[in-house]
Amino acid sequence: MIVTFTPNPSIDATLELDSLEVGGVNRALRACREAGGKGINVARACAQAGQPTLAIAPCGPTDPFTLLCRTADVPLKTVPIDGTVRTNTTLSERGGRTTKINETGPLLGSADVARITDTVISTMAEGGADAVVMAGSLPPGAPLDWYATLARQIRKACPGAVVAIDTSDKPLVALSAHLADAAPDVMKPNAFELAQLTDSGTTGRELEQQAARGDYAEISAHAETLRSAGVKEVVVTLGAAGAVLVTGSGAWAATAPPAAAQSTVGAGDSALAGYIMARVAGEAPAECLRRSVAYGSAAAAKPATGIPSPAEIDLAHTDVFPLSTSEKD
């Protein structure tokens, strides 16, 4: 069983356009609404692969979000709150460029945070969970170190479960400050999030460009810093350039199979889902990375929040290779 926790879920509204005319009138070619949020997307990928999964999210019982989860066959455990699930809007152009407009989400009080925390911990304590994925932004009112607090408590409630966290901005920085006693087993920053954690001055775009040239030295060095701080496995997704994995036993890079990008929404979440499913299945690190990149690439080739099924991923053309010791260090 893979449990996911999405503290700030969303209804993902996607409008597909030929091209975006800023300041002008734009007409959508297609529109759709789906249950979203990073952990929800991971659970969707797991469910489509036949992997037992359960998604936990704060949500009112009559919120339209719950119906969208049922439509997507995502097993959902809700924690009732006041307010409604936010709507995130994506403008997706035919050329692959996406523009996202994300709402902040409902305001949580201290009682909400305590009730949600109790639900996550009690669910993990029930046993049977191989992994928990906590992912996404935090809603207003949530403490910035919430992920660190949950990681500590999950360790006690379910010691054998793999703990994975994927977040960004202030919650990511707050988590990084607590790695000494609350490090997850797996972190999945993208290039921009990895850059947030360093003071090197290199931007996320520059890290992606380095990877596209076959230069992984700086990326693997930053990932190794996180690993040395306590994270067992660091998966750095690099967009079209693939990904890098650094563990205690080595470092690997993977390049994505050829595919025409339609929408990047959900690609990183699919990559994390692929990695965790392979990890739970006991695959070797290089194969976990291969599954991750194949899933992320397949998601980017789909419209809207495209979460691929196993039949849609291209493992055969996802190349994985070890990095040298110098590139890791």
Side-chain angles (χ1 to χ4, degrees), residues 5-9 58 81 104-114 116-117 136-150 167 170-171 174:
F5 171 50
T6 309
N8 200 14
I81 59 168
T104 57
L107 176 65
L108 299 185
S110 57
D112 295 316
V113 172
I116 295 166
T117 298
S137 65
L138 298 179
L144 289 178
D145 62 351
W146 200 7
Y147 282 134
T149 299
L150 286 166
T167 189
K170 291 181 179 179

Side-chain angles (χ1 to χ4, degrees), residues 134 145-155 163-165 171-172 174-187 226 229-232:
M134 299 185 285
D145 62 351
W146 200 7
Y147 282 134
T149 299
L150 286 166
R152 292 189 198 97
Q153 295 187 29
I154 288 170
R155 292 272 186 236
V163 179
I165 298 178
L172 176 62
L175 175 64
S176 70
H178 294 277
L179 294 181
D181 64 344
D185 296 296
V186 179
M187 283 184 69
L226 289 175
V231 183
K232 293 181 180 178

Side-chain angles (χ1 to χ4, degrees), residues 142-232:
L144 289 178
D145 62 351
W146 200 7
Y147 282 134
T149 299
L150 286 166
R152 292 189 198 97
Q153 295 187 29
I154 288 170
R155 292 272 186 236
K156 297 177 181 178
C158 191
V162 175
V163 179
I165 298 178
D166 180 14
T167 189
S168 60
D169 301 323
K170 291 181 179 179
L172 176 62
V173 174
L175 175 64
S176 70
H178 294 277
L179 294 181
D181 64 344
D185 296 296
V186 179
M187 283 184 69
K188 192 215 68 64
N190 61 29
F192 299 88
E193 292 156 357
L194 189 66
Q196 285 182 318
L197 297 175
T198 73
D199 57 3
S200 65
T202 306
T203 67
R205 182 67 63 195
E206 289 169 336
L207 291 176
E208 287 187 346
Q209 290 171 345
Q210 290 174 14
R213 297 193 301 268
D215 178 3
Y216 302 99
E218 186 171 4
I219 297 163
S220 57
H222 292 326
E224 176 64 21
T225 298
L226 289 175
R227 198 200 65 78
S228 298
V231 183
K232 293 181 180 178

Side-chain angles (χ1 to χ4, degrees), residues 20-206:
L20 176 62
E21 181 185 348
V22 178
V25 176
N26 295 270
R27 299 190 184 280
L29 302 173
R30 179 175 174 269
C32 68
R33 292 166 67 84
E34 303 167 288
K38 285 183 171 295
I40 297 296
N41 292 338
V42 171
R44 282 178 61 189
C46 291
Q48 290 181 186
Q51 169 71 49
T53 188
L54 176 67
I56 301 173
C59 175
T62 61
D63 197 298
F65 174 81
T66 61
L67 175 59
L68 291 173
C69 282
R70 287 198 296 272
T71 301
D73 293 325
V74 174
L76 179 67
K77 176 184 280 191
T78 61
V79 185
I81 59 168
D82 293 329
T84 58
V85 168
R86 61 185 177 146
T87 296
N88 291 344
T89 302
T90 298
L91 306 178
S92 178
E93 301 173 65
R94 283 192 182 275
R97 186 177 69 168
T98 57
T99 301
K100 298 188 67 176
I101 305 169
N102 291 352
E103 296 181 4
T104 57
L107 176 65
L108 299 185
S110 57
D112 295 316
V113 172
R115 190 168 59 255
I116 295 166
T117 298
D118 287 345
T119 299
V120 173
I121 301 307
S122 63
T123 300
M124 296 301 299
E126 290 171 0
D130 300 296
V132 57
V133 177
M134 299 185 285
S137 65
L138 298 179
L144 289 178
D145 62 351
W146 200 7
Y147 282 134
T149 299
L150 286 166
R152 292 189 198 97
Q153 295 187 29
I154 288 170
R155 292 272 186 236
K156 297 177 181 178
C158 191
V162 175
V163 179
I165 298 178
D166 180 14
T167 189
S168 60
D169 301 323
K170 291 181 179 179
L172 176 62
V173 174
L175 175 64
S176 70
H178 294 277
L179 294 181
D181 64 344
D185 296 296
V186 179
M187 283 184 69
K188 192 215 68 64
N190 61 29
F192 299 88
E193 292 156 357
L194 189 66
Q196 285 182 318
L197 297 175
T198 73
D199 57 3
S200 65
T202 306
T203 67
R205 182 67 63 195
E206 289 169 336

